[in-house]
Each structure stands twice: as structure tokens, then as C-alpha cells.
Amino acid sequence: MAPISIKRILISESVDSCCMKILQENGIQVIEKPNMNKDDLIAEIKDYDGLVVRSATKVTADVINAASNLKVIGRAGTGVDNVDVDASTKKGIIVMNTPSGNTISAAELTYTSKLLCMKFMGAEMYGKILGIVGLGRIGKEVASRMQSFGMKTIGYDPITPPEVTASWGVEQMSLEELWPRCDYITVHTPLMPSTTGLLNDATFAKCKKGVKVVNCARGGIIDEAALLRALESGQCGGAGLDVFVEEPPKDRVLVNHPNVITCPHLGASTKEAQARCGQDIALQIVDMVKGKCLVGAVNAQVLASTFSPESHQWIRLGEAIGAVLKSCTTSKQPFNQVQITTQGDSLKASSSYMTSAVIVGLLTDGSKSRPNLVNALSLAKESGITVTRNHSEGLTESACVVEISVNGSCYRATGSVQGGVPILLELNRSVFRQPVSLTGNLLFFKAASSPLLLSSLTGFLAKAGVEMESFSAPTTCIGEPWYCVGLASLLGDLGALKPLVQEAAMLSV
């Protein structure tokens, strides 16, 4: 990925001073304006390339749509539920968090909550079974600490492989298997539709009588009404809560319950955690700007492999092939299917960003809101375009083959990179004798093969006052052949070519 230009960043909350210092030391102008309301933020955000927030700032779709220059939203912390990630992705804005900045603090608070539950409720940890729902960084740290007290740790995570968690001493199983085995349950998942109300009346009923629960993740993962009913019936023996659906909670019934220990959302509020989060988000932004790497991006995983010079060349190829095929189908019905095939061992891990690059080329229409690798696939889906990708192994030569369907017709292009330059090898089954360099002003046309074609074309261009810089003819073809001409400048009227050609397309790459 080419370096992203970030010149001005707005910090809208109190973030550790090291964040501003690191950004400024790397040539980025930083403005701090804490405690803005929504209207103030909407009015302010249009002037910035980046935004750094903690958890209080609500980066809604309205804010994002007002951000005409925004390229990155940095969350100095783990959860991004205060950021509309879908709206950010649609706008092509990278959303990143600091995945490890508050890990230790959150794990230690979970550990402390368990200790307090045991202290006030009369139970030992040794020999007890702890169920950990969510086995990411925090879940791993919690397991390590509780194992030192002789607890058996079991868990559930839909992403982390069981063999990985087994190396930490955590046995994975389904939630249905986990609920009835636990003496204690702690949750460490993001809040999303699949985790909202994860612990509810039905799940409490499956648990051991007297099970104790801890939530230092997000309010709403435990159904608060169900928790209260379980506490009153004795099905739940106690709870440690750092988070609530409403913060601060107006309904104090759980806060005041004798078997509940509460904190005012302190999970990441240690000095150390705040310093780490501020430092991490600043360094992540700087590394991205310098084109070194991308860490913590929650909506732009496609960019992870785009930080080498080689990847830049292939991305340029993908965008250029997309642009060529778009120009060839401008007069046709909108395309509805795109298939991208990468070939060669060197592109095995590149099909994701190559696919997005091709879609960028296909969707770019010259308007100000240019698609990028972040939003290309979501824009294609929104436009009703079906995108498929695959990779052909066992080929030594690396190439990218793109096919698009337009109203029942198929258009195809094959390209590669030679000497750092994107080239076109084939267009619509016409294989060029000399590969076409995908740079400058290019005229593609389909015409019947004729010994007079080149002289007629040369005469036409001379009359139009346009110099021909290159001419590429096909060595083999299926159907009528396609040709490519490199031009010193674009033709003013492509329609004037109609007496000479069957189809024509022109573009600048």
C-alpha cells in the first residue's frame, strides 16, 4: 500500500500526552478539542485527515459523512462500539484500535473482581473451574493469572483455534458444554448482535447453581434483568461488574445488591494502560503513514499485505486492468459479475488485495469520492456486483486474470508486472505480440485484421493532431482482434474512429 497522507489529526478526548508528542515529532499537526458535542464535531471534522478518540466520542454515520478528508479513526483502546465501523468502511476510512494497550489492566481487574467475589462470598479458587468466553489477548492473560491459583480453565472462542488455546492451558468447547461445568464465568468479547444477552435466563438455567460471573468487557453481554433474577433465586451466587448497558446506571438495583461488586468502568483506566493506548495509537498511525505496516485495523485487513514495493506494483496492475475493462464496457449495460484469478506462487497470498484493486479500477468514475482498497468490496456489493476470486497454483509466471460479465457478454484481461511496470498481456482473448505497458494515454480498439489498418489509423491520428507513441497488435486471437495504441494525448472525439473500428475505448493510466 502506498503511504497514506495524514497531515492533521484531531484528538477529541483526553488521551495521554505521549500520543500528541509522537505524532508531532513525525510531522503531523495535532489539535486537541475535548468535550465537543455531536454538532461541534460534525462542524470540526471536515478539516482533518485523522481522528483519535477513546470511548466517550460517538463517531456516528453523521460525523463520518461530514468528514470529507478523513482517512483514519484511531481508537485509543480496544472496543470500537462507539465508532460506526460500517459507515467508515463505506467511506473508505480505516478504523484502528490498540489491541494490546489495556490488556493487562483489563485482565488484572477481572482477576481482582474474582478475588473480591471470593472474599465476600466465602469460596476458594483452588480446584474451581473457570469458563472464559472470548479467548483473545485479555482472555489469555486472565487464564494465565487464574491458573496460578490452581483453577482449571475452559473456554469458548469462535476464532482462536483450539490447539492455540490448549498451549495456554485452556480447553475449548462449545457454549452448551461450557455452561454446566463452570464455577465461575468471565466474558471477554466485543458487544455485537451475537453476544448481546449471551448470559440470559436460558443460559443461567444451564449453569451450576451458585455460579459466579464477571463482566469487564461490555455492558449488555450479560442480560442485566436475567442476572438480577438469577441472583434473587440463588442460581447465580455473585457477580463482579465493571460495565453496564447504561453508564452510569440509573437503575441501582444491581449496584446495591449484596452479592454484586461493581466498578465504574475502570477496565482500561490505569495510568499504565492509558499511556500504552496513547502511545500505541500514535505509533500505529505513524507506521501506516510511513508505509511500514498496519496494526490494529478492524475494517481493513485487506491492507495488511500491501506494505512492500512489490505489492504496490501489483495493486497498480489490478487498478489498471479494472480501468481498462471499465473503459471497454462504458457503452454497455452495467457489469454485474467480476471474477479475479491470481496465478503463480508469488501471488498466493495476494488475491485479497488484488481483488480489491481490480474493483477500485472498475468503480472509479472520475468523481471526487474515489473508491479505495478499504471500501471497494462493500461498494461493489451495494452496486449489485457479484465478486469471486480464486488462485491457480503450480504456475511459475505470476499474472492476474479478470473477467467481467456485461449483459450476457464476457470481457477478459490478463496482466502481469515486468521490471516494476504493470503490463497487459491479453485483452478479450487477443494476446499481444508485445505486452502493453499500462501507463500513459491508451487507445484500445477491435477491428478486422487488414494490411491497411495501421496506415489508416496513422492518417486518422495525424489529421487529429495526436502523435502515436506505440502500437501493439495481437499475435493470436479468438474472434476479432483487439489492438492497443499509445498516444501522446487523448483524442477529442472517439466517435470519429467508427469508420475504422468496431469497438474502441480510451483512458489515461
Side-chain angles (χ1 to χ4, degrees):
M1 183 184 74
I4 295 174
S5 176
I6 303 290
K7 297 179 180 179
R8 301 186 79 215
I9 285 181
L10 173 66
I11 299 179
S12 65
E13 294 182 57
S14 177
V15 178
D16 192 272
S17 60
C18 68
C19 179
M20 175 183 280
K21 182 180 178 183
I22 291 169
L23 293 170
Q24 289 176 333
E25 287 175 347
N26 286 275
I28 299 173
Q29 182 184 1
V30 182
I31 307 296
E32 277 190 312
K33 289 194 174 183
N35 305 319
M36 284 188 292
N37 60 35
K38 179 180 176 180
D39 292 338
D40 291 339
L41 182 57
I42 288 174
E44 185 75 19
I45 195 62
K46 66 181 184 299
D47 298 322
Y48 296 89
D49 305 303
L51 172 66
V52 172
V53 303
R54 285 181 61 191
S55 58
T57 302
K58 307 304 178 188
V59 190
T60 64
D62 290 338
V63 173
I64 290 163
N65 290 332
S68 53
N69 297 316
L70 202 62
K71 301 177 183 72
V72 62
I73 299 169
R75 161 73 165 98
T78 303
V80 291
D81 39 302
N82 58 315
V83 178
D84 190 327
V85 177
D86 289 340
S88 302
T89 302
K90 185 177 178 180
K91 198 89 181 282
I93 299 168
I94 297 169
V95 178
M96 61 169 62
N97 64 356
T98 54
S100 59
N102 62 358
T103 297
I104 301 300
S105 295
E108 289 182 353
L109 180 61
T110 302
Y111 158 77
T112 304
S113 297
K114 289 186 178 69
L115 286 180
L116 290 171
C117 283
M118 292 165 183
K119 177 179 178 181
F120 291 109
M121 298 163 198
E124 292 183 351
M125 285 186 279
Y126 183 82
K128 299 298 190 299
I129 296 176
L130 170 65
I132 305 171
V133 181
L135 294 166
R137 292 174 176 84
I138 296 173
K140 178 183 179 182
E141 293 295 334
V142 169
S144 173
R145 282 154 178 75
M146 304 320 292
Q147 287 162 6
S148 67
F149 284 85
M151 294 192 85
K152 176 176 174 58
T153 50
I154 61 177
Y156 167 79
D157 192 291
I159 297 173
T160 308
E163 59 270 21
V164 173
T165 63
S167 69
W168 318 332
V170 179
E171 177 190 357
Q172 271 208 60
M173 59 190 65
S174 70
L175 289 173
E176 292 301 307
E177 295 172 296
L178 181 140
W179 301 130
R181 293 184 58 181
C182 300
D183 299 298
Y184 292 84
I185 296 171
T186 179
V187 293
H188 300 285
T189 73
L191 182 65
M192 56 182 68
S194 61
T195 62
T196 299
L198 189 63
L199 275 162
N200 51 44
D201 288 315
T203 49
F204 274 119
K206 297 172 185 176
C207 295
K208 286 182 180 179
K209 189 171 181 65
V211 67
K212 297 176 179 67
V213 298
V214 176
N215 185 6
C216 294
R218 284 290 182 267
I221 297 173
I222 298 177
D223 184 319
E224 293 173 2
L227 172 59
L228 180 60
R229 287 189 287 269
L231 287 165
E232 292 297 318
S233 70
Q235 182 63 21
C236 177
L241 304 175
D242 182 48
V243 289
F244 294 85
V245 173
E246 180 183 44
E247 295 179 354
K250 293 178 182 178
D251 187 343
R252 310 289 290 180
V253 64
L254 279 175
V255 175
N256 296 329
H257 197 283
N259 287 344
V260 176
I261 296 161
T262 61
C263 298
H265 204 152
L266 296 176
S269 296
T270 63
K271 292 180 180 179
E272 294 85 353
Q274 289 309 303
R276 274 195 299 269
C277 288
Q279 173 181 279
D280 286 355
I281 198 64
L283 290 175
Q284 288 170 203
I285 291 173
V286 168
D287 284 345
M288 179 190 70
V289 169
K290 291 185 175 181
K292 290 183 178 180
C293 61
L294 184 66
V295 175
V298 300
N299 69 332
Q301 292 83 353
V302 67
L303 301 180
S305 303
T306 63
F307 285 83
S308 67
E310 294 77 15
S311 68
H312 299 172
Q313 298 162 5
W314 286 99
I315 289 169
R316 285 170 53 208
L317 172 70
E319 293 181 354
I321 288 179
V324 168
L325 289 174
K326 177 181 175 66
S327 68
C328 289
T329 59
T330 299
S331 62
K332 312 293 189 304
Q333 295 292 323
F335 51 90
N336 50 28
Q337 290 185 336
V338 182
Q339 179 173 307
I340 296 98
T341 303
T342 50
Q343 299 176 348
D345 293 340
S346 65
L347 291 181
K348 188 174 183 179
S350 307
S351 63
S352 177
Y353 70 71
M354 286 298 298
T355 298
S356 294
V358 169
I359 299 302
V360 168
L362 284 168
L363 295 183
T364 299
D365 58 8
S367 63
K368 189 176 180 181
S369 56
R370 186 177 187 272
N372 60 25
L373 298 183
V374 177
N375 63 4
L377 292 182
S378 64
L379 292 178
K381 184 178 181 180
E382 189 178 85
S383 301
I385 301 169
T386 301
V387 180
T388 58
R389 72 182 191 201
N390 55 63
H391 179 76
S392 297
E393 297 187 13
L395 299 174
T396 56
E397 296 295 328
S398 297
C400 177
V401 182
V402 181
E403 295 185 23
I404 65 173
S405 296
V406 184
N407 198 26
S409 299
C410 179
Y411 286 77
R412 168 189 165 113
T414 302
S416 188
V417 173
Q418 288 184 0
V421 178
I423 58 170
L424 188 67
L425 302 173
E426 170 254 334
L427 177 64
N428 298 326
R429 306 292 180 177
S430 292
V431 179
F432 294 106
R433 181 174 288 108
Q434 292 294 329
V436 175
S437 176
L438 290 172
T439 57
N441 303 310
L442 300 174
L443 169 65
F444 293 94
F445 63 89
K446 183 172 76 170
S449 180
S450 166
L452 300 177
L453 177 63
L454 182 56
S455 59
S456 299
L457 181 65
T458 303
F460 171 81
L461 292 174
K463 186 176 181 180
V466 176
E467 181 182 351
M468 179 189 296
E469 295 183 336
S470 63
F471 179 78
S472 298
T475 180
T476 61
C477 63
I478 298 175
E480 295 288 1
W482 280 81
Y483 301 81
C484 179
V485 178
L487 304 174
S489 59
L490 294 176
L491 285 166
D493 180 16
L494 196 59
L497 267 175
K498 284 184 178 180
L500 299 177
V501 305
Q502 297 170 17
E503 293 184 42
M506 187 169 55
L507 74 157
S508 292
V509 182

